[in-house]
Amino acid sequence: MSILFGNTIISLAIALTTFGFYRYHSLDIPKLAVLIFSFPIITFFVIIVALLNDASFTQRVFIIDIIILAQLFITIYLGFMRLENFESARKFWAILFSIIFLGLMIRTFLNVMTQHSQFIEADNWTNLSLVILDTIYLFTAAVFIPAIAAQKLQNQIQQYANHDEVTGLYNRRGMYEYADQTMRSIHPHAFLALIDIDYFKKVNDQHGHLIGDQVLRVIAELISSITRRSDLVARFGGEEFLVLMPDQTPEQALTWANRTLETISKHPIIVEDQHLFITVSIGLAQLSESVQTFEEGIEKADYALYQAKDEGRNCVRLYQADA
């Protein structure tokens, strides 16, 4: 019974560790990871068959090791897949199972090589290697669990630091950090859109700041629903939003901006059984090759926004170099 349930639990522990890692980091579980859960079932029935057929100790260990090695191989592959995109905790997770994989291979090797020994029984060497393997696993797991928890906490701190708590969008800090990383690779046809809610102060004065926050959330959702996946939306401060749109022509940027105006102006916000209609003003600026910094692009978009507000609001203005 110890052979049957002990090895099945080991296989199940590997599967649960893999599943737990993905859930803990809110990652999508690959289809290949689901396959790992079939190995505890395979292990269980293979051991039953081996016991019913009076397989020797060496044969049982060899068969079980092969099954668990296959399970570990898939786990390690998942751990190292797209390694450059993952944090240190996932790398540690992959290394942990690599150590177990190596230890299990050593145990299998010892089990096969010592079966003809005249001085020491094969199962003594196998059991010794199993004790060493378990010691390595427990030690690395003891380091691994705090490491992954610390990484999780660090990711949450980074998330809070770079995102606006009211709208959930990037904040100014997050936008600048993103821009610093991508400015050099931004396509010459990229556009910046600076969006300002018209007469937002009146909303706060008449309805209070809680309603003001509700308006900000609705506007953020509307803007996000219109943008593409490649676009980046941020709450730039107060009632201003900033949208970075790679690979856009002036015609496409103007079409998007006018569509945004229309969508927002026609969307009622329910406040105390009343329908509140909000408008916005938008300034557009192209991040051409002449724009050396992200800050310079924002200044151009801000100038165009000033023109839109000065000319009656609820309109779009595109920055012109000769203006």
Side-chain angles (χ1 to χ4, degrees):
M1 294 299 290
S2 61
I3 295 172
L4 177 63
F5 288 104
N7 288 282
T8 302
I9 290 173
I10 290 173
S11 180
L12 183 62
I14 295 172
L16 290 174
T17 303
T18 305
F19 178 78
F21 180 88
Y22 277 91
R23 295 302 301 167
Y24 193 72
H25 281 274
S26 301
L27 298 171
D28 293 332
I29 301 176
K31 293 180 180 179
L32 194 59
V34 179
L35 179 64
I36 294 177
F37 276 94
S38 66
F39 280 90
I41 301 173
I42 295 172
T43 303
F44 183 83
F45 285 104
V46 166
I47 294 175
I48 289 180
V49 172
L51 291 174
L52 291 176
N53 287 276
D54 295 325
S56 66
F57 177 84
T58 301
Q59 291 173 332
R60 292 198 307 268
V61 171
F62 182 77
I63 293 171
I64 293 169
D65 283 357
I66 293 299
I67 296 173
I68 297 180
L69 280 170
Q71 184 184 20
L72 284 171
F73 179 81
I74 297 175
T75 304
I76 293 168
Y77 170 77
L78 291 171
F80 283 109
M81 189 171 58
R82 300 190 305 275
L83 191 61
E84 68 279 0
N85 297 328
F86 294 112
E87 69 288 339
S88 58
R90 179 159 188 176
K91 295 177 184 178
F92 193 87
W93 175 62
I95 293 171
L96 165 64
F97 281 105
S98 297
I99 293 172
I100 300 172
F101 184 84
L102 180 62
L104 202 59
M105 286 189 66
I106 294 173
R107 187 181 89 157
T108 306
F109 175 77
L110 288 173
N111 181 55
V112 173
M113 295 302 295
T114 59
Q115 58 181 314
H116 303 295
S117 172
Q118 298 178 356
F119 303 101
I120 302 176
E121 293 184 1
D123 51 347
N124 288 340
W125 278 106
T126 304
N127 289 331
L128 178 61
S129 64
L130 182 60
V131 171
I132 296 173
L133 178 64
D134 288 341
T135 302
I136 294 173
Y137 177 82
L138 291 173
F139 176 77
T140 50
V143 178
F144 164 73
I145 293 172
I148 193 174
Q151 186 68 60
K152 178 75 171 180
L153 179 60
Q154 181 180 347
N155 291 345
Q156 288 178 337
I157 294 174
Q158 188 74 10
Q159 176 80 5
Y160 293 141
N162 290 340
H163 288 76
D164 174 53
E165 61 179 350
V166 176
T167 62
L169 300 175
Y170 276 104
N171 56 21
R172 183 186 290 259
R173 181 181 184 276
M175 171 63 84
Y176 272 104
E177 184 173 317
Y178 177 88
D180 288 340
Q181 296 172 356
T182 60
M183 188 64 187
R184 293 180 182 178
S185 61
I186 286 178
H187 195 277
H189 291 304
F191 267 84
L192 275 177
L194 196 57
I195 305 171
D196 185 89
I197 301 176
D198 296 331
Y199 306 110
F200 184 69
K201 186 177 183 300
K202 288 185 178 181
V203 175
N204 280 330
D205 292 342
Q206 293 178 6
H207 303 283
H209 290 280
L210 291 179
I211 300 301
D213 288 347
Q214 180 184 341
V215 170
L216 289 171
R217 282 190 288 269
V218 171
I219 300 299
E221 291 172 1
L222 291 174
I223 295 173
S224 299
S225 68
I226 299 170
T227 54
R228 306 166 301 175
R229 287 189 176 183
S230 58
D231 300 336
L232 186 71
V233 185
R235 183 185 175 193
F236 204 58
E239 65 271 25
E240 288 187 338
F241 297 87
L242 187 66
V243 182
L244 174 60
M245 300 177 286
D247 195 19
Q248 286 274 63
T249 65
E251 292 77 15
Q252 290 172 328
L254 283 169
T255 299
W256 172 87
N258 283 304
R259 182 187 171 198
T260 301
L261 283 181
E262 183 180 3
T263 301
I264 293 175
S265 64
K266 292 183 177 181
H267 186 90
I269 301 175
I270 301 175
V271 176
E272 299 172 351
D273 297 327
Q274 298 179 4
H275 286 184
L276 182 64
F277 288 91
I278 299 295
T279 63
V280 297
S281 302
I282 302 178
L284 289 173
Q286 185 175 7
L287 293 178
S288 61
E289 295 178 354
S290 62
V291 177
Q292 298 298 317
T293 64
F294 187 65
E295 186 69 38
E296 185 180 346
I298 293 175
E299 289 177 1
K300 295 181 184 300
D302 188 53
Y303 184 82
L305 174 63
Y306 175 81
Q307 287 183 310
K309 295 174 78 68
D310 192 51
E311 296 176 18
R313 306 175 191 259
N314 191 27
C315 61
V316 180
R317 290 297 178 264
L318 175 64
Y319 177 83
Q320 302 293 336
D322 57 350

